[in-house]
Amino acid sequence: MPVYKTIIVSPTTKVLLWKVEEPEAVLAKDVLLTPHCQNRMDGMKSESHRRAFLSIRHLMALEGYADSDLYYDENGKPHLKDGKHISITHSYNFTAIILSDSHEVGIDIEKQRDKIIKIAHKFTPIEEYHTLANAEAIIRKLTIVWGAKESLYKIYAQPGLSFLKHIDVQDFTMDTGKTTAQIVYGDKKSVYEIDFLEFEGFTCVYAQRNLGS
C-alpha cells in the first residue's frame, strides 16, 4: 500500500497523499477504530467513502498515530491529542492529510470538473477569470481557488464564514504553485500561505496560517 506522494513542506509540516486502489477488506485489516469513528464509518453507504476513511487511518499510522489519537471538536474539526495540527481530505480515489507541529493547517483535494464554472459566482468574482485562455484554464484556476478556500475554512472552522465575503485568495499564476490568502471575519484578520499541485485531473491545495497573524 504505497503512499502516492509525500511533500515535506517544512521541517515541521508534512503532506501525505494516497491513491486508494485497495479493496475495503484489505484497508480494514489492522485498523482499530474508536466507537465514534466506527459509528461514522458504519453510517457510510458508499464503499468508496469507507475505503477513503480507512486509507486516512493508514496515512496517520505512517506518522505514528492511531485512530484513538484523533478527536473532533463541536464544529467537526479534527485534532490530535498531542497538540499537533492535522487536516484531512478525500476526493474520489485520492486521500490526503497534512500534519504540522507549528502551524494551523488545512488541506483539500478536488477533481477538476466543468461544473465549477456554474457555481463559481458563489465563492469568487467570476469576472476576474475572463482573461484566461480557455475553459480548461478557467476550470483549473477556479479549482485551485475553491480548494484554497476549503482549506482555509477547515482551519478557521467558524460557522457563518462566507467563501465569497470573508475569504480572499490573492491572484496567482499556475506555474508558481503558491499564493497567499486572508480571512477577514468580524474584527479579526488572519493571513495564510497557500500551495497547490495538480495530478491525474485532480488538484490538491494546502494552507498554513502565518504565525503571528
Side-chain angles (χ1 to χ4, degrees):
M1 293 183 282
V3 174
Y4 182 79
K5 192 174 185 66
T6 299
I7 303 169
I8 306 300
V9 182
S10 73
T12 60
T13 305
K14 181 188 289 189
V15 172
L16 295 96
L17 290 101
W18 189 292
K19 187 175 183 179
V20 186
E21 298 177 312
E22 304 83 2
E24 183 178 346
V26 172
L27 289 165
K29 188 177 180 181
D30 300 325
V31 172
L32 180 62
L33 297 174
T34 64
H36 171 75
C37 285
Q38 185 66 58
N39 287 337
R40 285 185 64 198
M41 197 178 84
D42 290 344
M44 297 176 184
K45 296 180 180 180
S46 166
E47 181 186 355
S48 65
H49 286 176
R50 295 193 300 270
R51 290 167 65 212
F53 190 85
L54 290 167
S55 75
I56 286 167
R57 272 63 196 170
H58 284 281
L59 288 175
M60 289 172 54
L62 290 172
E63 293 301 306
Y65 291 101
D67 184 60
S68 57
D69 295 315
L70 186 73
Y71 71 95
Y72 296 83
D73 65 21
E74 65 276 9
N75 293 318
K77 181 177 179 176
H79 299 267
L80 290 168
K81 292 179 180 178
D82 66 0
K84 186 179 251 191
H85 302 287
I86 186 171
S87 185
I88 294 167
T89 186
H90 74 87
S91 180
Y92 293 82
N93 61 324
F94 282 99
T95 61
I97 63 173
I98 183 170
L99 296 162
S100 181
D101 294 333
S102 55
H103 294 71
E104 292 183 77
V105 288
I107 193 167
D108 187 57
I109 296 176
E110 297 289 339
K111 186 175 176 63
Q112 298 166 1
R113 297 183 291 171
D114 56 8
K115 68 174 287 186
I116 199 166
I117 296 176
K118 297 178 182 179
I119 65 167
H121 65 280
K122 297 181 179 180
F123 66 90
T124 189
I126 186 61
E127 61 273 9
E128 296 179 1
Y129 299 80
H130 290 162
T131 58
L132 295 177
N134 51 50
E136 180 188 357
I138 294 173
I139 291 166
R140 289 174 62 203
K141 193 160 189 178
L142 284 171
T143 304
I144 292 166
V145 173
W146 173 263
K149 294 195 175 191
E150 279 279 6
S151 298
L152 295 176
Y153 189 86
K154 290 179 178 181
I155 295 175
Y156 212 80
Q158 177 65 52
L161 187 72
S162 166
F163 280 29
L164 184 62
K165 296 178 181 178
H166 302 133
I167 308 176
D168 180 53
V169 177
Q170 297 299 305
D171 195 19
F172 57 90
T173 57
M174 300 295 295
D175 58 347
T176 60
K178 58 179 65 260
T179 185
T180 59
Q182 66 178 22
I183 295 176
V184 180
Y185 189 68
D187 60 353
K188 296 181 180 179
K189 176 181 175 180
S190 47
V191 181
Y192 304 82
E193 299 294 329
I194 307 292
D195 290 87
F196 56 86
L197 64 150
E198 298 173 299
F199 49 89
E200 299 189 29
F202 287 80
T203 300
C204 178
V205 187
Y206 52 94
Q208 301 179 83
R209 182 168 180 168
N210 284 358
L211 298 179
S213 74

